[in-house]
Amino acid sequence: TGAKVEQIVQQVRDYDSHATLFASSVKSARLCSKENENTFLFRYRTSSYMEYVTETRATHHRPAPGRYAVVGEMTATGSAGDLPDAATLCKGTPKGSSYMKALRSVWRYEQAADGVHVETEIAAVLGGFTLARGIVRRLLSSMMKQSLEDYRTRFGQVQGG
């Protein structure tokens, strides 16, 4: 028996548990507000070598039975030192980053006979000097790949790319 879309959806919508679900890349996470039934504002702190805090508005869509999508748009980012722990994650505002100006990610989940197929894409507007842009680009790519591995570890039969 493979993973089920509903299992993944339940975990994805529980933003306070993202540090557990995505343990390899998220140090802490917190749901800050719920705009409506399908739109959430949350913040997370990365656990990578370049720690930062990101505020994201996530909009959830269910286009058809067995299919689900989440569109995340970064609304603020800053140094992890701005908001040092989970208790303060939703207080204040990240001070901004010269490296990442905008970020949009799309995660699509589809139930299949062999489990859940996950597709992800990310678009980022990067600033800073050339070397920093390359580092951030590799970091984002690595985080997306690691997130897929975290899904596989947690749910078993998850195929992705």
Side-chain angles (χ1 to χ4, degrees):
T1 331
K4 302 287 183 218
V5 165
E6 291 307 319
Q7 292 174 299
I8 293 176
V9 168
Q10 185 178 6
Q11 288 289 304
V12 167
R13 290 178 71 101
D14 182 4
Y15 287 97
D16 290 344
S17 74
H18 277 208
T20 303
L21 180 60
F22 302 110
S24 59
S25 57
V26 175
K27 191 172 198 170
S28 58
R30 182 82 61 202
L31 174 65
C32 297
S33 67
K34 185 176 174 180
E35 294 179 13
N36 58 50
E37 190 59 34
N38 293 309
T39 305
F40 306 86
L41 188 68
F42 72 100
R43 289 185 182 171
Y44 65 89
R45 180 179 176 164
T46 64
S47 58
S48 64
Y49 66 94
M50 248 179 93
E51 284 191 27
Y52 61 92
V53 171
T54 298
E55 179 178 273
T56 301
R57 174 172 288 107
T59 305
H60 296 245
H61 306 274
R62 189 180 302 271
R67 296 180 67 207
Y68 199 79
V70 180
V71 177
E73 296 186 74
M74 181 184 75
T75 56
T77 189
S79 162
D82 296 345
L83 304 163
D85 56 39
T88 60
L89 207 50
C90 288
K91 297 177 181 170
T93 303
K95 291 184 175 43
S97 166
S98 61
Y99 301 117
M100 198 164 9
K101 305 296 184 186
L103 178 73
R104 184 174 195 267
S105 64
V106 179
W107 290 82
R108 294 180 192 89
Y109 309 88
E110 185 169 1
Q111 190 68 56
D114 61 346
V116 176
H117 290 216
V118 180
E119 178 182 286
T120 181
E121 59 186 81
I122 189 167
V125 177
L126 305 174
F129 53 95
T130 305
L131 178 61
R133 286 196 301 267
I135 291 169
V136 171
R137 193 173 293 120
R138 283 190 297 281
L139 172 67
L140 292 172
S141 176
S142 171
M143 286 178 66
M144 298 300 265
K145 287 176 186 172
Q146 191 56 55
S147 293
L148 286 170
E149 284 304 313
D150 289 340
Y151 275 128
R152 286 186 187 105
T153 300
R154 180 96 172 180
F155 299 106
Q157 284 299 107
V158 174
Q159 309 300 320

